[in-house]
Amino acid sequence: MQSMGDFSTDIVAQEELRDRFNTLMDEIETHIMAVGNPDTYKKSVDHLFREFHTIKALAMYLSIAPMVQVLKSLEDILGMMR
């Protein structure tokens, strides 16, 4: 693995990161709105946590330090919400 700050040349991982991020962006409004509903709160928070955790792991693998930091913060917030 390359040091943090060097963008990996792993094209498959880059494509996976892009696809997961795009999918999450398509779903995020629905899940954020569902957090306001007591019946869907836990399911939505869990889904968002898992997605951000997976995207963070891909960003770590690809050595995208700024993205890892942002995703870690989001993951921490969602972890507290769980």
Side-chain angles (χ1 to χ4, degrees):
M1 186 192 302
Q2 297 175 349
S3 65
M4 290 295 270
D6 297 332
F7 189 69
S8 174
T9 57
D10 186 330
I11 299 301
V12 173
Q14 289 177 22
E15 289 173 353
E16 175 73 12
L17 177 63
R18 181 199 63 221
D19 292 346
R20 283 192 167 272
F21 192 79
N22 285 339
T23 299
L24 179 61
M25 290 302 101
D26 290 343
E27 305 174 335
I28 201 160
E29 181 178 1
T30 301
H31 286 289
I32 288 175
M33 296 302 288
V35 167
N37 181 338
D39 297 331
T40 55
Y41 177 87
K42 181 166 178 30
K43 183 178 177 181
S44 291
V45 169
D46 286 344
H47 178 78
L48 290 169
F49 180 89
R50 285 191 309 275
E51 287 300 315
F52 281 120
H53 179 76
T54 301
I55 292 170
K56 182 190 78 173
L58 284 165
M60 288 174 76
Y61 173 75
L62 292 168
S63 302
I64 310 171
M67 189 175 203
V68 171
Q69 292 170 345
V70 169
L71 292 166
K72 175 67 176 131
S73 295
L74 289 169
E75 186 183 57
D76 289 346
I77 291 166
L78 290 165
M80 287 185 273
M81 292 173 68
R82 287 172 122 185

